[in-house]
PDB file of all heavy atoms in Angstrom:
ATOM      1  N   GLN A  13     -20.912 239.930 -25.818  1.00 98.00           N
ATOM      2  CA  GLN A  13     -19.984 239.241 -24.941  1.00 98.00           C
ATOM      3  C   GLN A  13     -19.235 238.159 -25.716  1.00 98.00           C
ATOM      4  O   GLN A  13     -19.682 237.711 -26.778  1.00 98.00           O
ATOM      5  CB  GLN A  13     -20.747 238.594 -23.782  1.00 98.00           C
ATOM      6  CG  GLN A  13     -21.492 239.589 -22.909  1.00 98.00           C
ATOM      7  CD  GLN A  13     -20.563 240.489 -22.136  1.00 98.00           C
ATOM      8  OE1 GLN A  13     -19.614 240.023 -21.508  1.00 98.00           O
ATOM      9  NE2 GLN A  13     -20.828 241.790 -22.184  1.00 98.00           N
ATOM     10  N   VAL A  14     -18.119 237.760 -25.167  1.00 98.00           N
ATOM     11  CA  VAL A  14     -17.340 236.668 -25.770  1.00 98.00           C
ATOM     12  C   VAL A  14     -18.227 235.451 -25.959  1.00 98.00           C
ATOM     13  O   VAL A  14     -19.005 235.094 -25.060  1.00 98.00           O
ATOM     14  CB  VAL A  14     -16.138 236.320 -24.875  1.00 98.00           C
ATOM     15  CG1 VAL A  14     -15.488 235.026 -25.316  1.00 98.00           C
ATOM     16  CG2 VAL A  14     -15.113 237.447 -24.894  1.00 98.00           C
ATOM     17  N   GLY A  15     -18.109 234.842 -27.131  1.00 98.00           N
ATOM     18  CA  GLY A  15     -18.884 233.656 -27.438  1.00 98.00           C
ATOM     19  C   GLY A  15     -20.207 233.922 -28.123  1.00 98.00           C
ATOM     20  O   GLY A  15     -20.832 232.978 -28.642  1.00 98.00           O
ATOM     21  N   GLU A  16     -20.636 235.160 -28.141  1.00 98.00           N
ATOM     22  CA  GLU A  16     -21.903 235.488 -28.792  1.00 98.00           C
ATOM     23  C   GLU A  16     -21.710 235.697 -30.295  1.00 98.00           C
ATOM     24  O   GLU A  16     -20.596 235.560 -30.820  1.00 98.00           O
ATOM     25  CB  GLU A  16     -22.520 236.718 -28.129  1.00 98.00           C
ATOM     26  CG  GLU A  16     -22.921 236.464 -26.686  1.00 98.00           C
ATOM     27  CD  GLU A  16     -23.644 237.642 -26.051  1.00 98.00           C
ATOM     28  OE1 GLU A  16     -23.479 238.773 -26.525  1.00 98.00           O
ATOM     29  OE2 GLU A  16     -24.375 237.400 -25.066  1.00 98.00           O
ATOM     30  N   SER A  17     -22.819 236.009 -30.959  1.00 98.00           N
ATOM     31  CA  SER A  17     -22.801 236.101 -32.417  1.00 98.00           C
ATOM     32  C   SER A  17     -23.357 237.429 -32.905  1.00 98.00           C
ATOM     33  O   SER A  17     -24.151 238.078 -32.212  1.00 98.00           O
ATOM     34  CB  SER A  17     -23.643 234.973 -33.025  1.00 98.00           C
ATOM     35  OG  SER A  17     -23.152 233.702 -32.649  1.00 98.00           O
ATOM     36  N   LEU A  18     -22.960 237.791 -34.100  1.00 98.00           N
ATOM     37  CA  LEU A  18     -23.514 238.941 -34.803  1.00 98.00           C
ATOM     38  C   LEU A  18     -23.585 238.609 -36.288  1.00 98.00           C
ATOM     39  O   LEU A  18     -22.786 237.812 -36.792  1.00 98.00           O
ATOM     40  CB  LEU A  18     -22.643 240.190 -34.614  1.00 98.00           C
ATOM     41  CG  LEU A  18     -22.692 240.907 -33.276  1.00 98.00           C
ATOM     42  CD1 LEU A  18     -21.608 241.981 -33.232  1.00 98.00           C
ATOM     43  CD2 LEU A  18     -24.055 241.527 -33.042  1.00 98.00           C
ATOM     44  N   ARG A  19     -24.517 239.254 -36.966  1.00 98.00           N
ATOM     45  CA  ARG A  19     -24.615 239.139 -38.417  1.00 98.00           C
ATOM     46  C   ARG A  19     -24.507 240.530 -39.015  1.00 98.00           C
ATOM     47  O   ARG A  19     -25.342 241.392 -38.739  1.00 98.00           O
ATOM     48  CB  ARG A  19     -25.927 238.488 -38.847  1.00 98.00           C
ATOM     49  CG  ARG A  19     -26.062 238.370 -40.364  1.00 98.00           C
ATOM     50  CD  ARG A  19     -27.328 237.640 -40.748  1.00 98.00           C
ATOM     51  NE  ARG A  19     -27.291 236.258 -40.302  1.00 98.00           N
ATOM     52  CZ  ARG A  19     -28.270 235.393 -40.533  1.00 98.00           C
ATOM     53  NH1 ARG A  19     -29.342 235.770 -41.204  1.00 98.00           N
ATOM     54  NH2 ARG A  19     -28.175 234.154 -40.087  1.00 98.00           N
ATOM     55  N   LEU A  20     -23.499 240.719 -39.827  1.00 98.00           N
ATOM     56  CA  LEU A  20     -23.287 241.986 -40.508  1.00 98.00           C
ATOM     57  C   LEU A  20     -23.901 241.944 -41.903  1.00 98.00           C
ATOM     58  O   LEU A  20     -23.939 240.900 -42.548  1.00 98.00           O
ATOM     59  CB  LEU A  20     -21.797 242.297 -40.620  1.00 98.00           C
ATOM     60  CG  LEU A  20     -20.984 242.263 -39.335  1.00 98.00           C
ATOM     61  CD1 LEU A  20     -19.547 242.672 -39.635  1.00 98.00           C
ATOM     62  CD2 LEU A  20     -21.594 243.142 -38.270  1.00 98.00           C
ATOM     63  N   SER A  21     -24.338 243.108 -42.359  1.00 98.00           N
ATOM     64  CA  SER A  21     -24.892 243.244 -43.700  1.00 98.00           C
ATOM     65  C   SER A  21     -24.189 244.361 -44.437  1.00 98.00           C
ATOM     66  O   SER A  21     -23.807 245.366 -43.831  1.00 98.00           O
ATOM     67  CB  SER A  21     -26.389 243.564 -43.644  1.00 98.00           C
ATOM     68  OG  SER A  21     -27.114 242.568 -42.974  1.00 98.00           O
ATOM     69  N   CYS A  22     -24.042 244.179 -45.714  1.00 98.00           N
ATOM     70  CA  CYS A  22     -23.487 245.207 -46.597  1.00 98.00           C
ATOM     71  C   CYS A  22     -24.440 245.321 -47.779  1.00 98.00           C
ATOM     72  O   CYS A  22     -24.483 244.428 -48.626  1.00 98.00           O
ATOM     73  CB  CYS A  22     -22.102 244.821 -47.045  1.00 98.00           C
ATOM     74  SG  CYS A  22     -21.430 245.844 -48.386  1.00 98.00           S
ATOM     75  N   THR A  23     -25.188 246.406 -47.807  1.00 98.00           N
ATOM     76  CA  THR A  23     -26.165 246.619 -48.867  1.00 98.00           C
ATOM     77  C   THR A  23     -25.671 247.719 -49.793  1.00 98.00           C
ATOM     78  O   THR A  23     -25.197 248.757 -49.328  1.00 98.00           O
ATOM     79  CB  THR A  23     -27.530 246.996 -48.287  1.00 98.00           C
ATOM     80  OG1 THR A  23     -27.966 245.946 -47.418  1.00 98.00           O
ATOM     81  CG2 THR A  23     -28.551 247.192 -49.394  1.00 98.00           C
ATOM     82  N   ALA A  24     -25.787 247.467 -51.092  1.00 97.00           N
ATOM     83  CA  ALA A  24     -25.196 248.371 -52.070  1.00 97.00           C
ATOM     84  C   ALA A  24     -26.238 249.024 -52.961  1.00 97.00           C
ATOM     85  O   ALA A  24     -27.306 248.460 -53.239  1.00 97.00           O
ATOM     86  CB  ALA A  24     -24.194 247.606 -52.927  1.00 97.00           C
ATOM     87  N   SER A  25     -25.879 250.218 -53.413  1.00 95.00           N
ATOM     88  CA  SER A  25     -26.636 250.932 -54.432  1.00 95.00           C
ATOM     89  C   SER A  25     -25.686 251.334 -55.540  1.00 95.00           C
ATOM     90  O   SER A  25     -24.525 251.639 -55.294  1.00 95.00           O
ATOM     91  CB  SER A  25     -27.290 252.189 -53.851  1.00 95.00           C
ATOM     92  OG  SER A  25     -28.145 251.879 -52.793  1.00 95.00           O
ATOM     93  N   ARG A  26     -26.197 251.289 -56.761  1.00 94.00           N
ATOM     94  CA  ARG A  26     -25.441 251.712 -57.942  1.00 94.00           C
ATOM     95  C   ARG A  26     -24.246 250.814 -58.213  1.00 94.00           C
ATOM     96  O   ARG A  26     -23.301 251.227 -58.908  1.00 94.00           O
ATOM     97  CB  ARG A  26     -24.994 253.169 -57.828  1.00 94.00           C
ATOM     98  CG  ARG A  26     -26.172 254.131 -57.693  1.00 94.00           C
ATOM     99  CD  ARG A  26     -25.716 255.580 -57.713  1.00 94.00           C
ATOM    100  NE  ARG A  26     -26.831 256.489 -57.558  1.00 94.00           N
ATOM    101  CZ  ARG A  26     -27.267 256.930 -56.387  1.00 94.00           C
ATOM    102  NH1 ARG A  26     -26.671 256.539 -55.283  1.00 94.00           N
ATOM    103  NH2 ARG A  26     -28.285 257.765 -56.319  1.00 94.00           N
ATOM    104  N   ILE A  27     -24.269 249.628 -57.701  1.00 94.00           N
ATOM    105  CA  ILE A  27     -23.285 248.610 -58.011  1.00 94.00           C
ATOM    106  C   ILE A  27     -23.941 247.263 -57.755  1.00 94.00           C
ATOM    107  O   ILE A  27     -24.674 247.116 -56.780  1.00 94.00           O
ATOM    108  CB  ILE A  27     -21.994 248.772 -57.175  1.00 94.00           C
ATOM    109  CG1 ILE A  27     -20.890 247.825 -57.670  1.00 94.00           C
ATOM    110  CG2 ILE A  27     -22.264 248.554 -55.711  1.00 94.00           C
ATOM    111  CD1 ILE A  27     -19.544 248.081 -57.006  1.00 94.00           C
ATOM    112  N   VAL A  28     -23.674 246.311 -58.635  1.00 94.00           N
ATOM    113  CA  VAL A  28     -24.259 244.989 -58.502  1.00 94.00           C
ATOM    114  C   VAL A  28     -23.235 244.089 -57.828  1.00 94.00           C
ATOM    115  O   VAL A  28     -22.210 243.731 -58.429  1.00 94.00           O
ATOM    116  CB  VAL A  28     -24.656 244.426 -59.874  1.00 94.00           C
ATOM    117  CG1 VAL A  28     -25.238 243.025 -59.724  1.00 94.00           C
ATOM    118  CG2 VAL A  28     -25.673 245.343 -60.550  1.00 94.00           C
ATOM    119  N   LEU A  29     -23.497 243.738 -56.595  1.00 95.00           N
ATOM    120  CA  LEU A  29     -22.490 243.005 -55.816  1.00 95.00           C
ATOM    121  C   LEU A  29     -22.187 241.636 -56.405  1.00 95.00           C
ATOM    122  O   LEU A  29     -21.077 241.135 -56.239  1.00 95.00           O
ATOM    123  CB  LEU A  29     -22.953 242.869 -54.367  1.00 95.00           C
ATOM    124  CG  LEU A  29     -23.027 244.178 -53.572  1.00 95.00           C
ATOM    125  CD1 LEU A  29     -23.443 243.894 -52.131  1.00 95.00           C
ATOM    126  CD2 LEU A  29     -21.727 244.946 -53.625  1.00 95.00           C
ATOM    127  N   SER A  30     -23.142 241.021 -57.086  1.00 94.00           N
ATOM    128  CA  SER A  30     -22.904 239.688 -57.624  1.00 94.00           C
ATOM    129  C   SER A  30     -21.848 239.678 -58.725  1.00 94.00           C
ATOM    130  O   SER A  30     -21.321 238.610 -59.058  1.00 94.00           O
ATOM    131  CB  SER A  30     -24.205 239.090 -58.156  1.00 94.00           C
ATOM    132  OG  SER A  30     -24.708 239.865 -59.215  1.00 94.00           O
ATOM    133  N   THR A  31     -21.540 240.824 -59.273  1.00 93.00           N
ATOM    134  CA  THR A  31     -20.510 240.906 -60.308  1.00 93.00           C
ATOM    135  C   THR A  31     -19.167 241.347 -59.743  1.00 93.00           C
ATOM    136  O   THR A  31     -18.225 241.596 -60.507  1.00 93.00           O
ATOM    137  CB  THR A  31     -20.933 241.857 -61.436  1.00 93.00           C
ATOM    138  OG1 THR A  31     -21.052 243.190 -60.917  1.00 93.00           O
ATOM    139  CG2 THR A  31     -22.257 241.438 -62.055  1.00 93.00           C
ATOM    140  N   ASN A  32     -19.094 241.439 -58.452  1.00 94.00           N
ATOM    141  CA  ASN A  32     -17.879 241.885 -57.780  1.00 94.00           C
ATOM    142  C   ASN A  32     -17.363 240.817 -56.833  1.00 94.00           C
ATOM    143  O   ASN A  32     -18.125 239.962 -56.362  1.00 94.00           O
ATOM    144  CB  ASN A  32     -18.180 243.137 -56.943  1.00 94.00           C
ATOM    145  CG  ASN A  32     -18.405 244.371 -57.776  1.00 94.00           C
ATOM    146  OD1 ASN A  32     -17.539 245.211 -57.905  1.00 94.00           O
ATOM    147  ND2 ASN A  32     -19.600 244.488 -58.353  1.00 94.00           N
ATOM    148  N   ALA A  33     -16.083 240.910 -56.510  1.00 97.00           N
ATOM    149  CA  ALA A  33     -15.562 240.221 -55.344  1.00 97.00           C
ATOM    150  C   ALA A  33     -15.832 241.148 -54.163  1.00 97.00           C
ATOM    151  O   ALA A  33     -15.417 242.309 -54.191  1.00 97.00           O
ATOM    152  CB  ALA A  33     -14.073 239.965 -55.484  1.00 97.00           C
ATOM    153  N   VAL A  34     -16.528 240.669 -53.168  1.00 98.00           N
ATOM    154  CA  VAL A  34     -16.874 241.510 -52.023  1.00 98.00           C
ATOM    155  C   VAL A  34     -16.185 240.964 -50.777  1.00 98.00           C
ATOM    156  O   VAL A  34     -16.376 239.806 -50.400  1.00 98.00           O
ATOM    157  CB  VAL A  34     -18.388 241.560 -51.803  1.00 98.00           C
ATOM    158  CG1 VAL A  34     -18.716 242.477 -50.625  1.00 98.00           C
ATOM    159  CG2 VAL A  34     -19.090 242.049 -53.064  1.00 98.00           C
ATOM    160  N   SER A  35     -15.396 241.800 -50.169  1.00 98.00           N
ATOM    161  CA  SER A  35     -14.620 241.421 -48.991  1.00 98.00           C
ATOM    162  C   SER A  35     -15.132 242.153 -47.762  1.00 98.00           C
ATOM    163  O   SER A  35     -15.684 243.247 -47.857  1.00 98.00           O
ATOM    164  CB  SER A  35     -13.145 241.782 -49.183  1.00 98.00           C
ATOM    165  OG  SER A  35     -12.612 241.222 -50.359  1.00 98.00           O
ATOM    166  N   TRP A  36     -14.889 241.541 -46.626  1.00 98.00           N
ATOM    167  CA  TRP A  36     -15.043 242.221 -45.343  1.00 98.00           C
ATOM    168  C   TRP A  36     -13.643 242.449 -44.776  1.00 98.00           C
ATOM    169  O   TRP A  36     -12.790 241.545 -44.822  1.00 98.00           O
ATOM    170  CB  TRP A  36     -15.847 241.386 -44.358  1.00 98.00           C
ATOM    171  CG  TRP A  36     -17.312 241.409 -44.591  1.00 98.00           C
ATOM    172  CD1 TRP A  36     -18.065 240.470 -45.228  1.00 98.00           C
ATOM    173  CD2 TRP A  36     -18.233 242.425 -44.178  1.00 98.00           C
ATOM    174  NE1 TRP A  36     -19.385 240.832 -45.249  1.00 98.00           N
ATOM    175  CE2 TRP A  36     -19.516 242.039 -44.598  1.00 98.00           C
ATOM    176  CE3 TRP A  36     -18.102 243.628 -43.482  1.00 98.00           C
ATOM    177  CZ2 TRP A  36     -20.663 242.806 -44.354  1.00 98.00           C
ATOM    178  CZ3 TRP A  36     -19.231 244.388 -43.241  1.00 98.00           C
ATOM    179  CH2 TRP A  36     -20.494 243.984 -43.676  1.00 98.00           C
ATOM    180  N   TYR A  37     -13.463 243.645 -44.241  1.00 98.00           N
ATOM    181  CA  TYR A  37     -12.221 244.006 -43.588  1.00 98.00           C
ATOM    182  C   TYR A  37     -12.540 244.500 -42.180  1.00 98.00           C
ATOM    183  O   TYR A  37     -13.636 244.994 -41.915  1.00 98.00           O
ATOM    184  CB  TYR A  37     -11.478 245.105 -44.355  1.00 98.00           C
ATOM    185  CG  TYR A  37     -10.688 244.593 -45.528  1.00 98.00           C
ATOM    186  CD1 TYR A  37     -11.324 244.234 -46.708  1.00 98.00           C
ATOM    187  CD2 TYR A  37      -9.307 244.460 -45.445  1.00 98.00           C
ATOM    188  CE1 TYR A  37     -10.603 243.759 -47.784  1.00 98.00           C
ATOM    189  CE2 TYR A  37      -8.572 243.990 -46.524  1.00 98.00           C
ATOM    190  CZ  TYR A  37      -9.226 243.645 -47.690  1.00 98.00           C
ATOM    191  OH  TYR A  37      -8.503 243.176 -48.753  1.00 98.00           O
TER     192      TYR A  37
END
Side-chain angles (χ1 to χ4, degrees):
Q13 299 293 312
V14 168
E16 295 185 337
S17 300
L18 285 172
R19 179 176 295 181
L20 307 183
S21 301
C22 169
T23 301
S25 301
R26 300 185 181 90
I27 189 172
V28 179
L29 293 182
S30 62
T31 64
N32 288 258
V34 182
S35 305
W36 282 99
Y37 279 76

